[in-house]
C-alpha cells in the first residue's frame, strides 16, 4: 500500500492562512491504514486547524469528508457540493489523490496535507517499511521475494557487497538487515541457492516511461 | 462551556469517586463538568479536542488505577491518547490548557478532589 506521513503543522497552517472556509478531505484506503489521512485524521487535523486559528483570532470554517479512494474520479465527484462551498481543499490523500481532486475541481486550489513517501507494508503496529520501488521490471522471482532494489541500501543486483556486518546487518544502517543476506537465507530454505551464482546485468531502469500508463487488455 | 473543566469519568472508578465526594460533602471547584463514560479508553483524541474547541479551560480523563481497569487496557490506552493529544496541542501552540489523565479507584473521593483542585490551580496560575 502507499505510505504517507502528515506534513508539519506549521506548513499546513501557512498554506491555509489566506482561507476562511476549507474542505479537509481524507481518503479511506492506503493513507487511512497508515494513520495519515483517514476519517479520524481528517477530524483531528480539522480540529487542530480550528483551534490554532481561533487562538490567533482568525476563525476558520472547516468541512470534513472522507471518500473511499481519492484516486478515483467517480468517488471524488461525490464531494462536488462540498467543494463548491469552500475556498480551498486540504487533501490528506496520497499524491495521486491530490492530483485527482485538483483535476476534477480545477477552479479550486488543492493543498496536500501529507507527504507521500513509499510503497510499503506494516512491519508492526505503527511502523511501515518500504518494499517496492515500482520500477516496472520485477526481479522478485530471482531473489526469493525480497526486493534488492529497495531493501538493499545500495540497490545492488549482485549482492551482498563487501560491507555486510556480522549478524547480517547493513554497513550503512546497523539496525537494518542486509537484503542480500535475507535473500541468501530465503533461497537456502527453498533449495534455490544456485540463483546466487547468477550474474545479473545492469537493469533497464527505463522499463516504465514516466509518467507511467497501463492499459488493460480486454478479454 | 467557557472556562470550565471537562472531566471524562470512567463509570467504574472516577464517577463513583465523584459521587462519593458529593456524599461526603467534600468541596471542589464548581466549574467542573463531569461526563460519565463506560471506560476511560472510550475517550478519543477528538473528544478532548472538541471540548477544548468549545472553550474548556482544561480536560481531565479519569480512569481506573493501573492494572485495575474494568476493561483490562482502557486506562493505558487513555493515557497514551492524552499524551498524543498534548503533542497535537503543542503543534498548534495551544499547550497552555492542561489535558491530563489521573488514575483513581471508586473509593478515592479525596483523590478526585485533589485532581480537580490541582488542575484548577494550574488554570488560575496561567491566568485563564
Amino acid at each position: 500500500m502507499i505510505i504517507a506521513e502528515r506534513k508539519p503543522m506549521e506548513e499546513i497552517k501557512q498554506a491555509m492562512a489566506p482561507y476562511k472556509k476549507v474542505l479537509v478531505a481524507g481518503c479511506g484506503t492506503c493513507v487511512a491504514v497508515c494513520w495519515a489521512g483517514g476519517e479520524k485524521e481528517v477530524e483531528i487535523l480539522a480540529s487542530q486547524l480550528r483551534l490554532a486559528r481561533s487562538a490567533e483570532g482568525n476563525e476558520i470554517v472547516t468541512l470534513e469528508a472522507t471518500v473511499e479512494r481519492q484516486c478515483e474520479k467517480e468517488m471524488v465527484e461525490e464531494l462536488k457540493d462540498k467543494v463548491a462551498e469552500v475556498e480551498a481543499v486540504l487533501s490528506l490523500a496520497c499524491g495521486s489523490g491530490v492530483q485527482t481532486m485538483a483535476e476534477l475541481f480545477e477552479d479550486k486550489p488543492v493543498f496536500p496535507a501529507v507527504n507521500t513517501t513509499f510503497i510499503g507494508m506494516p512491519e508492526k503496529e505503527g511502523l511501515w517499511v518500504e518494499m517496492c520501488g515500482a520500477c516496472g521490471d520485477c526481479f522478485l522471482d530471482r531473489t526469493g521475494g525480497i526486493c534488492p532494489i529497495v531493501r538493499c541500501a545500495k540497490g545492488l543486483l549482485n549482492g551482498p557487497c563487501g560491507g555486510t556486518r556480522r549478524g547480517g546487518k547493513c554497513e550503512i544502517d546497523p539496525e537494518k538487515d542486509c537484503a542480500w543476506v535475507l535473500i541468501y537465507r530465503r533461497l537456502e530454505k527453498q533449495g534455490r541457492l544456485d540463483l546466487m551464482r547468477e550474474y545479473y546485468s545492469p537493469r533497464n531502469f527505463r522499463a516504465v516511461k514516466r509518467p507511467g500508463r497501463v492499459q488493460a487488455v480486454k478479454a | 462551556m467557557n472556562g470550565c473543566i471537562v472531566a471524562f469519568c470512567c463509570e467504574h472508578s472516577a464517577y463513583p469517586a465523584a459521587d462519593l465526594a458529593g456524599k461526603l460533602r467534600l468541596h471542589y471547584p464548581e466549574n467542573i463538568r463531569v461526563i460519565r463514560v463506560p471506560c476511560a479508553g472510550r475517550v478519543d483524541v477528538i473528544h478532548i479536542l472538541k471540548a477544548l474547541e468549545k472553550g474548556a479551560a482544561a480536560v481531565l480523563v479519569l480512569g481506573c488505577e493501573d492494572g485495575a481497569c474494568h476493561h483490562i487496557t482502557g486506562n493505558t490506552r487513555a493515557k497514551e491518547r492524552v499524551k498524543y493529544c498534548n503533542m497535537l496541542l503543542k503543534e498548534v501552540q495551544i499547550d497552555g490548557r492542561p489535558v491530563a489523565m489521573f488514575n483513581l479507584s471508586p473509593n478515592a473521593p479525596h483523590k478526585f478532589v485533589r485532581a480537580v483542585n490541582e488542575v484548577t490551580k494550574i488554570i488560575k496560575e496561567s491566568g485563564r
Side-chain angles (χ1 to χ4, degrees):
Chain A
M1 81 186 135
I2 294 167
I3 310 296
E5 55 186 354
R6 215 193 68 191
K7 279 181 176 288
M9 194 60 203
E10 205 43 49
E11 196 180 329
I12 298 174
K13 261 169 64 185
Q14 264 177 21
M16 291 297 104
Y19 306 107
K20 297 259 181 217
K21 193 172 184 183
V22 298
L23 169 68
V24 184
C27 174
T29 310
C30 312
V31 288
V33 180
C34 66
W35 308 349
E39 201 171 348
K40 208 164 186 175
E41 289 75 28
V42 165
E43 276 185 333
I44 290 174
L45 179 60
S47 180
Q48 270 187 300
L49 263 179
R50 290 191 298 264
L51 274 166
R53 290 282 287 265
S54 100
E56 289 166 6
N58 180 17
E59 303 274 344
I60 187 168
V61 177
T62 56
L63 303 188
E64 296 163 29
T66 303
V67 291
E68 191 61 34
R69 283 191 290 281
Q70 226 183 89
C71 53
E72 288 200 27
K73 284 184 183 169
E74 293 80 1
M75 292 180 180
V76 182
E77 256 170 13
E78 291 169 16
L79 302 177
K80 196 168 62 185
D81 296 340
K82 283 190 171 164
V83 174
E85 280 182 54
V86 297
E87 300 164 52
V89 179
L90 183 60
S91 166
L92 281 92
C94 70
S96 179
V98 173
Q99 291 186 58
T100 310
M101 180 80 81
E103 195 176 316
L104 218 56
F105 306 111
E106 279 182 320
D107 54 330
K108 294 281 158 87
V110 180
F111 296 90
V114 299
N115 289 323
T116 310
T117 41
F118 53 78
I119 300 176
M121 74 159 201
E123 192 171 82
K124 58 181 184 183
E125 199 183 345
L127 176 69
W128 291 270
V129 287
E130 187 169 10
M131 286 286 158
C132 174
C135 66
D137 186 11
C138 198
F139 194 69
L140 291 168
D141 54 329
R142 281 151 283 179
T143 54
I146 295 165
C147 179
I149 310 292
V150 166
R151 294 174 69 184
C152 166
K154 298 173 184 176
L156 292 181
L157 287 183
N158 298 287
C161 68
T164 312
R165 289 170 192 255
R166 205 174 270 272
K169 297 291 177 185
C170 175
E171 72 169 335
I172 289 172
D173 180 358
E175 298 288 308
K176 217 176 111 182
D177 289 321
C178 165
W180 275 100
V181 171
L182 296 178
I183 291 169
Y184 182 90
R185 289 184 183 145
R186 178 76 55 82
L187 291 176
E188 192 179 30
K189 264 188 202 165
Q190 297 175 355
R192 297 164 75 208
L193 273 180
D194 53 307
L195 286 171
M196 287 296 290
R197 296 221 170 266
E198 294 272 336
Y199 169 74
Y200 300 109
S201 52
R203 283 162 49 82
N204 175 15
F205 279 100
R206 288 184 295 177
V208 178
K209 277 188 196 161
R210 304 289 175 191
R213 196 179 178 87
V214 174
Q215 171 70 58
V217 180
K218 276 188 185 161
Chain B
M1 207 178 262
N2 250 349
C4 73
I5 302 170
V6 173
F8 292 102
C9 293
C10 159
E11 70 177 11
H12 300 284
S13 55
Y15 195 79
D19 201 21
L20 205 53
K23 278 181 189 155
L24 292 173
R25 305 279 187 266
L26 299 177
H27 287 273
Y28 58 85
E30 71 292 344
N31 62 338
I32 184 163
R33 300 287 175 272
V34 172
I35 298 174
R36 182 179 179 170
V37 287
C39 174
R42 176 65 189 91
V43 182
D44 203 349
V45 173
I46 194 67
H47 300 137
I48 299 173
L49 293 178
K50 286 247 166 99
L52 293 171
E53 267 189 65
K54 286 185 185 287
V59 179
L60 293 180
V61 180
L62 304 168
C64 302
E65 291 283 8
D66 277 337
C69 176
H70 190 80
H71 297 280
I72 303 166
T73 54
N75 55 358
T76 45
R77 282 165 194 255
K79 194 169 266 177
E80 286 301 311
R81 285 186 194 137
V82 166
K83 209 164 110 188
Y84 179 59
C85 199
N86 276 311
M87 190 271 285
L88 292 174
L89 293 171
K90 206 170 172 186
E91 266 188 341
V92 287
Q93 285 110 37
I94 317 264
D95 39 349
R97 286 193 262 177
V99 175
M101 164 98 193
F102 288 91
N103 300 86
L104 63 167
S105 55
N107 58 358
H110 290 92
K111 201 169 174 186
F112 172 81
V113 173
R114 210 162 46 236
V116 177
N117 283 334
E118 209 174 288
V119 174
T120 310
K121 201 175 148 207
I122 298 172
I123 298 169
K124 279 194 180 148
E125 275 169 6
S126 66
R128 285 186 69 88

